[in-house]
Amino acid sequence: MNHLFAHLSSLVLAAGGPDQHVYNHPFAKTADGLWIWSGNMGNLVLSGVIMVLGGLWVASKVKTGPESQGHDRWITTNRFAHMIEVIAVYLREEVVRPMLHDRTNKFMPFLWTIFFFILVNNILGLIPFLDLQHVVSEDMHHKGLAFLGGTATQNIWVTGVLALIAGLVFNLAAIARLGIGGYFKHMTGGAVFPVSLLLLVIEFVGQVIIKPVALAIRLFANMTAGHILLAVLMGFIGTALTQLGPILAGTVTVVSFAGAVAIMFLELFVAVLQAFVFMFLTTVFISLMDHHDEHGHEHGHDHAHGHEHAHA
Amino acid sequence: MSRRISTFVLPTLALAFLAQTAMAAGEELGALPSPKQGLITGITALVVFAVVFAILAVKVWPVIGKALDERAGKIREEIAAAEAARKQAKDALEMYEKSLAEARAEAQKMLEKTRAQQQALADELRSKADAELAQMRERARRDIEAAKKAALQEIYSQTAAAATSIAGKILRREVNPADQKRLVEESMGELMAMKN
């Protein structure tokens, strides 16, 4: 019980800085300090298990039933599965199809996977697995270890890998669509030499470096910032309790706690929004490298959307 | 507002903490993990994502995509069938209304024709009855006339016979039948002349 109070007080008293509750914690290290298991890895594996088992379960609920069920075979009976179905339909028909047209069905498995993978990890990051382990195990708390916990999508290595995958997909998609010559020609924007060369360099750097890096940093920064803000608000409580009088400390505690609750709701929203933004921008990047003559109007429209969301 | 927070405020706070973490000594936990801290986590992300994608791309998304397509197809098919049925019902209704109108017109025509036929028949019957009545009246008149004539003739013959008898008695002589007949005819002629 004493350990429980000690840990709970450390949550608010910010012993090692409030942000220490937010970052990834190791569980096992090699002799030279290489982390071979960390809380984020636990979360990633857990998210994978959830995605696979949840996906198989949802698919079994969504798929068309046998003819013996009559008209009911067309109905998704479970509400959660129905919610996933609605999200999947929305992403496919309202978000991706207007941009990718004939390539929609080809890219949907990847786009659905990346959206739900980020979403599941974002949501898992809101569950305080790390602190729960530290509450349960004094040893883990003492050594700062965590088998599970943290937000994998606020780890730049994770978001970097996801952005790398997305970058590979939208660049390979462009080459498959336009051919290797068309891929580079598209980047010149039809400008005359030497402007075309300048554009080629700028666009190429944008296509292979800036866009993936922007994807990685956007997700990482948004997820990190929200969690740190939560930790800071809780840290205010610790500071107020140790340094202020009872009335002021009480006021700060109430305000900070209320703020933390509000930010938690915001974080839930951000968890969904950032998963959507990552998937949406990947779709935009795929659609941008397409034949202009076929979907000229939509292309311009997508550009506008892309820039708008790039600031999100 | 939420977008502003996520766009400006949160990244600013994140950068502030990144700076604070960088200043810390030893193996500090930070927002930007070192390669030793993050490399295997990154590889794990790659492997987990690849495995998840491989399984979902084979076992889940095709099933869901197929179900969505089938459902969309079914809905499209049902809407088309409903529209066809509605059109069919509308056509049937129009045809029914047209038939009904035609039947009403036909019935009206038949009614009018029947009324005309009835009227004609009634008129014919009435005229025939009138004619028959007139014939019967004429026949009766003729029968009465004949009966009257016969009765008068009988009266005259009886009267003549009586008169003849009386006259014969007066004249004391017998009148033979030829005289009697002649006397009767003369008397009848006188009587008819008197009547006229």
Side-chain angles (χ1 to χ4, degrees):
Chain A
M1 189 57 88
N2 287 337
H3 162 65
L4 176 65
F5 283 121
H7 181 73
L8 289 176
S9 61
S10 81
L11 278 177
V12 294
L13 292 175
D19 56 319
Q20 295 302 304
H21 295 276
V22 176
Y23 302 140
N24 191 19
H25 282 56
F27 182 74
K29 290 193 259 188
T30 59
D32 59 348
L34 182 69
W35 291 16
I36 52 175
W37 191 267
S38 66
N40 282 175
M41 289 165 71
N43 266 26
L44 284 166
V45 172
L46 179 63
S47 73
V49 172
I50 291 171
M51 287 276 289
V52 170
L53 296 182
L56 290 170
W57 178 77
V58 168
S60 73
K61 294 290 174 188
V62 172
K63 76 173 180 184
T64 310
E67 283 191 22
S68 60
Q69 290 180 346
H71 290 302
D72 286 347
R73 70 195 166 118
W74 304 102
I75 297 168
T76 305
T77 47
N78 184 274
R79 286 183 185 180
F80 180 77
H82 200 183
M83 185 184 78
I84 301 297
E85 179 193 329
V86 168
I87 293 171
V89 172
Y90 172 76
L91 293 178
R92 189 176 77 163
E93 302 303 326
E94 304 296 328
V95 179
V96 178
R97 200 176 294 284
M99 287 191 273
L100 298 189
H101 309 280
D102 57 312
R103 293 188 292 173
T104 301
N105 290 348
K106 196 164 134 189
F107 283 102
M108 273 330 290
F110 170 72
L111 295 170
W112 273 330
T113 306
I114 200 119
F115 171 79
F116 284 108
F117 187 78
I118 294 172
L119 180 65
V120 169
N121 274 292
N122 287 353
I123 290 172
L124 282 179
L126 294 175
I127 303 169
F129 289 125
L130 191 147
D131 295 304
L132 286 173
Q133 288 166 92
H134 288 186
V135 167
V136 172
S137 165
E138 192 176 355
D139 187 48
M140 286 177 79
H141 177 222
H142 225 61
K143 293 176 182 169
L145 304 177
F147 181 76
L148 191 67
T151 308
T153 43
Q154 73 171 60
N155 188 322
I156 191 70
W157 288 85
V158 176
T159 62
V161 163
L162 293 175
L164 185 71
I165 294 169
L168 275 173
V169 167
F170 62 71
N171 278 294
L172 291 176
I175 292 169
R177 185 73 159 182
L178 305 170
I180 191 77
Y183 173 73
F184 288 109
K185 194 180 169 191
H186 191 277
M187 291 182 196
T188 64
V192 292
F193 187 82
V195 180
S196 60
L197 188 64
L198 186 66
L199 282 174
L200 180 65
V201 173
I202 293 169
E203 281 291 320
F204 185 73
V205 171
Q207 189 70 16
V208 299
I209 298 173
I210 296 173
K211 284 173 182 172
V213 168
L215 282 176
I217 291 180
R218 181 181 296 106
L219 181 59
F220 152 76
N222 275 288
M223 298 316 296
T224 303
H227 287 61
I228 288 177
L229 184 58
L230 270 174
V232 169
L233 285 170
M234 296 305 281
F236 283 158
I237 299 172
T239 309
L241 288 175
T242 53
Q243 309 213 354
L244 300 175
I247 296 173
L248 211 52
T251 310
V252 169
T253 301
V254 170
V255 172
S256 296
F257 186 75
V261 171
I263 293 296
M264 194 68 180
F265 281 110
L266 179 67
E267 279 296 280
L268 267 174
F269 170 70
V270 170
V272 180
L273 180 72
Q274 289 308 317
F276 175 78
V277 166
F278 196 101
M279 188 227 75
F280 178 81
L281 287 179
T282 304
T283 311
V284 170
F285 296 153
I286 295 169
S287 74
L288 288 179
M289 295 293 277
D290 197 358
H291 299 292
H292 279 284
D293 51 337
E294 284 181 19
H295 310 298
H297 174 72
E298 289 84 350
H299 191 82
H301 182 71
D302 297 343
H303 254 299
H305 272 298
H307 289 306
E308 183 184 316
H309 282 269
H311 295 295
Chain B
M1 183 62 188
S2 61
R3 180 176 282 184
R4 279 185 186 170
I5 290 172
S6 63
T7 308
F8 301 111
V9 180
L10 303 188
T12 307
L13 283 168
L15 288 173
F17 272 92
L18 283 177
Q20 181 192 337
T21 308
M23 287 186 289
E27 183 171 35
E28 287 293 327
L29 303 179
L32 288 176
S34 66
K36 279 186 178 177
Q37 293 174 326
L39 183 64
I40 296 188
T41 306
I43 293 168
T44 307
L46 183 64
V47 172
V48 171
F49 184 83
V51 170
V52 167
F53 176 66
I55 295 173
L56 297 193
V58 174
K59 295 279 182 188
V60 174
W61 300 132
V63 176
I64 292 179
K66 185 166 173 270
L68 297 180
D69 289 340
E70 283 175 348
R71 211 158 298 178
K74 175 73 177 169
I75 291 167
R76 224 173 275 129
E77 194 180 292
E78 291 294 320
I79 290 171
E83 277 175 358
R86 195 177 66 173
K87 189 177 177 303
Q88 206 174 342
K90 196 181 166 193
D91 290 348
L93 183 67
E94 278 173 5
M95 198 179 286
Y96 164 76
E97 282 175 348
K98 194 179 165 191
S99 302
L100 194 65
E102 282 173 1
R104 275 188 185 141
E106 186 71 18
Q108 190 65 29
K109 206 186 283 179
M110 283 170 71
L111 201 62
E112 282 168 7
K113 193 176 169 186
T114 307
R115 272 189 196 138
Q117 282 176 343
Q118 275 182 337
Q119 189 64 40
L121 187 63
D123 289 346
E124 190 186 334
L125 287 173
R126 194 178 296 121
S127 62
K128 204 180 274 181
D130 286 347
E132 279 180 5
L133 197 63
Q135 278 177 356
M136 284 171 70
R137 197 179 290 144
E138 181 61 24
R139 201 180 302 127
R141 193 186 61 76
R142 277 205 303 270
D143 288 349
I144 292 166
E145 195 66 31
K148 185 181 163 186
K149 197 174 175 181
L152 281 173
Q153 201 162 5
E154 184 68 19
I155 290 166
Y156 290 149
S157 32
Q158 289 294 330
T159 308
T164 305
S165 174
I166 293 163
K169 280 173 186 172
I170 293 168
L171 293 173
R172 298 283 183 202
R173 69 172 186 101
E174 284 291 325
V175 182
N176 61 29
D179 293 338
Q180 194 178 359
K181 191 180 176 188
R182 184 176 48 76
L183 283 170
V184 167
E185 283 174 352
E186 283 173 5
S187 299
M188 284 296 290
E190 285 170 6
L191 198 65
M192 290 303 285
M194 280 172 70
K195 185 187 170 196
N196 292 333

